């Protein structure tokens, strides 16, 4: 599968900020990407089980307000807010950790719709080790899956077990990690700390040793 690595990396807006959640220090990671589709179609892709499986992963449960969902081999949680076709809020429960995800869909000019994903998590050792790329890179690959689903609907989904070994996969994962490092610096993180976290994130996703500074 041929991919425009630079174009895909440049299509994503990345933002990081600090906040409090339930009285505890937290960090939020936001990704925004525009797609050549309608608001209604993008909302359907975000909220329909059959389509979620085609760009992200198999999901089961009750995909409705108050319902429980479970992503195969991944997180589960509760759908806490649902305002079609604009806003979805849910808990993201993985092991003993609970964080929060928001998806917003809006028009983005003629023939386009914009998806914004915000993932908020309590500050933790995991964040200190990997920074925003801990969740940002994974979600960015999800947004890539959405782009391919919308533009190449008849092609199979990227194989997550081998993608990191391909030249395009390695370049995307590395570029995304580095971009999240820059987003952390823009949010006030010390440059050396952010860059070290980005190198660890790259190593985690590519399966290669942590690169030297």
């Amino acid at each position: 599968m041929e991919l425009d690595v630079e174009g895909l990396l440049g299509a994503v807006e990345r933002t990081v900020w600090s906040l409090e959640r339930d009285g505890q220090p937290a960090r939020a990671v936001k990704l925004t990407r525009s797609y050549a589709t309608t608001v209604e179609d993008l909302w359907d892709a975000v909220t329909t089980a059959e389509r979620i499986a085609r760009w992200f992963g198999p999901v089961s449960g009750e995909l409705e307000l108050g319902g429980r969902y479970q992503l195969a081999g991944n997180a589960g949680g509760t759908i806490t807010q649902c305002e079609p076709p604009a806003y979805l809020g849910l808990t993201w429960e993985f092991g003993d950790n609970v964080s929060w995800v928001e998806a917003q869909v809006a028009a983005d000019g003629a023939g386009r719709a914009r998806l914004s994903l915000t993932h908020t998590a309590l500050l933790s050792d995991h964040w200190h080790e990997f920074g925003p790329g801990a969740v940002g890179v994974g979600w960015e690959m999800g947004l890539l899956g959405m782009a391919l689903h919308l533009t190449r609907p008849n092609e199979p989904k990227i194989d997550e077990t081998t993608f990191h070994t391909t030249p395009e996969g390695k370049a995307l994962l590395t570029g995304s990690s580095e971009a999240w490092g820059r987003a952390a610096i823009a949010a006030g993180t010390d440059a050396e700390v952010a860059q070290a976290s980005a190198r660890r994130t790259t190593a985690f996703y590519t399966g290669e040793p942590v690169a030297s500074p």
Side-chain angles (χ1 to χ4, degrees), residues 73-89:
N74 204 324
T78 300
I79 298 171
T80 57
Q81 292 177 272
C82 185
E83 301 170 14
Y87 183 84
L88 180 71

Side-chain angles (χ1 to χ4, degrees), residues 127-134 137 173-182 184-185 191-205 210-211:
W127 178 277
H128 290 307
E129 183 175 3
F130 295 105
V137 174
L173 292 164
T174 301
S176 175
S177 298
E178 293 172 348
W180 282 109
R182 293 191 292 273
I185 293 169
E192 289 188 7
V193 171
Q195 290 162 1
S197 293
R199 289 192 294 271
R200 289 190 287 268
T201 299
T202 297
F204 174 82
Y205 279 101
V210 178

Side-chain angles (χ1 to χ4, degrees), residues 1 12 31 33 35 37 39-59 63 69 71-72 74 88 90 92 101-105 114-118 135-160 163:
M1 178 182 293
V12 179
L31 308 88
R33 197 189 193 289
Y35 297 97
T37 189
V39 166
E40 290 74 18
D41 183 56
L42 186 55
W43 176 261
D44 187 69
V46 169
T47 59
T48 302
E50 185 272 334
R51 294 189 69 182
I52 294 170
R54 290 161 61 190
W55 66 269
F56 195 74
V59 61
L63 303 189
Y69 73 92
L71 289 158
N74 204 324
L88 180 71
L90 49 88
W92 187 264
V101 173
E102 301 166 87
Q104 294 173 282
V105 177
R114 181 177 67 254
L115 173 61
S116 296
L117 279 169
T118 304
V135 296
V137 174
W139 280 119
E140 195 160 331
M141 295 306 104
L143 295 191
L144 166 61
M146 177 70 82
L148 296 177
H149 166 58
L150 294 173
T151 60
R152 309 179 190 180
N154 297 320
E155 293 187 14
K157 189 166 72 74
I158 285 175
D159 184 351
E160 297 177 1
F163 183 60

